[in-house]
């Protein structure tokens, strides 16, 4: 555990591709360390939902910029996500959001705005932040950086089980294709693509349990903290 006198670089950056299990492990890592948790993927999903619901033409930069001015994203202590005060926690997991989020999150204006908010939220440290570009771009000085990976088959399997548990009727092949497509867009976009920061520790979780991953990260953070 940390006491609550965090320094600004007391940030645990958790990056990696879709379906690697980042958000489930990040919440638990945060609670074990006494940190708060920031889900940056939820922010891109919330923005995507807004663009869909308000029929914003995302090819039109002015329209996107204007829309961003009207977007207010917040979280509560139970990891619920709010868009302009409406609880959208469930909605941002819907297939229409999933199939558009990579496109929306590749827009420069969207990234500039989200990164700015992320830096403000975690400016005093004491945060576990999960995403794609956290260690490489958003918080390059974060003291603890991890790149959580797993084979695409394993990631599709995990996401499929999650969808089933949530009562969503989607085939394994569709989940697999959706992850493959997001991998491609997320890692080839020009604005801060998904990349392992040079100083991030690669954790291949293909054959690890969730608890193994959590313990590995927490032990690593605590060891480094005391160096
Ligand atoms: O982690 P997630 O599946 O909730 O992320 C949703 C999408 O948001 C994902 O396709 C990539 C994008 N994303 C991003 O571009 N940068 C981040 N820091 C977090 C997510």
């Amino acid at each position: 555990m940390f006491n609550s006198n965090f320094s600004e670089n007391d940030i645990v950056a958790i990056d990696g591709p879709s379906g690697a299990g980042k958000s489930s492990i990040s919440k638990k890592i945060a609670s074990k360390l006494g940190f708060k948790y920031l889900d940056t993927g939820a922010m891109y999903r919330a923005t995507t939902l807004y663009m869909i619901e308000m029929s914003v033409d995302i090819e039109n930069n002015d329209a996107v910029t204007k829309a961003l001015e009207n977007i207010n994203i917040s979280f509560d202590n139970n990891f619920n996500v709010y868009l302009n005060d409406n609880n959208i926690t469930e909605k941002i997991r819907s297939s229409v959001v999933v199939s558009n989020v990579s496109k929306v999150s590749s827009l420069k204006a969207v990234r500039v705005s989200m990164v700015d908010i992320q830096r403000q939220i975690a400016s005093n440290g004491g945060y576990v932040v999960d995403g794609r570009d956290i260690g490489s771009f958003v918080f390059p000085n974060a003291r603890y950086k991890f790149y959580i990976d797993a084979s695409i088959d394993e990631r599709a399997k995990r996401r499929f089980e999650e969808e089933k548990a949530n009562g969503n009727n989607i085939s394994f092949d569709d989940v697999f294709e959706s992850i493959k497509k997001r991998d491609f867009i997320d890692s080839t976009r020009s604005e801060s693509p998904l990349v392992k920061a040079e100083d991030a520790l690669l954790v291949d979780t293909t054959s690890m349990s969730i608890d193994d991953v959590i313990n590995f990260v927490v032990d690593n953070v605590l060891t480094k903290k005391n160096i």
Side-chain angles (χ1 to χ4, degrees), residues 44 111 114-115 118-119 129 133-141:
Y44 289 98
R111 300 209 71 82
M114 294 301 119
V115 169
Q118 290 155 19
R119 288 182 178 152
V129 187
D133 56 344
I134 307 306
S136 59
F137 183 72
V138 185
F139 296 109
N141 297 324

Side-chain angles (χ1 to χ4, degrees), residues 44-221:
Y44 289 98
R45 286 169 183 260
T47 303
T48 304
L49 179 68
Y50 183 91
M51 302 293 179
I52 295 168
E53 288 190 337
M54 303 305 281
S55 306
V56 177
D57 174 7
I58 63 164
E59 310 290 336
N60 178 338
N61 192 47
D62 289 345
V64 170
T65 307
K66 198 148 178 265
L68 287 167
E69 285 167 13
N70 296 319
I71 293 179
N72 181 20
I73 301 166
S74 54
F75 297 89
D76 68 15
N77 291 335
N78 295 320
F79 310 117
N80 287 304
V81 192
Y82 297 83
L83 172 61
N84 298 335
D85 295 332
N86 295 313
N87 188 334
I88 50 153
T89 313
E90 305 262 306
K91 268 191 181 172
I92 59 169
R93 306 283 148 199
S94 65
S95 57
V96 60
V97 170
V98 170
S99 49
N100 285 286
V101 68
S102 278
K103 190 122 201 269
V104 171
S105 60
S106 67
L107 301 173
K108 180 161 188 186
V110 169
R111 300 209 71 82
V112 168
S113 169
M114 294 301 119
V115 169
D116 195 39
I117 300 169
Q118 290 155 19
R119 288 182 178 152
Q120 278 174 34
I121 293 177
S123 61
N124 295 324
Y127 266 87
V128 173
V129 187
D130 93 39
R132 304 290 189 288
D133 56 344
I134 307 306
S136 59
F137 183 72
V138 185
F139 296 109
N141 297 324
R143 200 146 173 231
Y144 314 99
K145 297 184 186 179
F146 299 87
Y147 188 88
I148 308 292
D149 208 348
S151 70
I152 183 161
D153 285 303
E154 178 63 21
R155 287 187 285 125
K157 210 171 100 198
R158 289 177 193 171
R159 198 33 75 80
F160 177 63
E161 295 301 334
E162 205 177 288
E163 296 286 350
K164 254 194 347 200
N166 291 336
N168 296 332
N169 189 11
I170 181 168
S171 74
F172 177 81
D173 288 352
D174 285 348
V175 174
F176 186 93
E177 283 310 316
S178 151
I179 289 198
K180 201 165 134 192
K181 191 168 150 212
R182 283 212 279 155
D183 276 1
F184 179 76
I185 303 180
D186 294 347
S187 55
T188 55
R189 68 175 177 228
S190 58
E191 295 297 326
S192 14
L194 166 67
V195 62
K196 179 187 155 311
E198 261 180 33
D199 51 351
L201 193 59
L202 172 67
V203 190
D204 181 347
T205 68
T206 307
S207 319
M208 291 170 84
S209 70
I210 290 187
D211 282 343
D212 287 345
V213 182
I214 294 165
N215 292 335
F216 178 85
V217 171
V218 169
D219 288 351
N220 213 279
V221 168

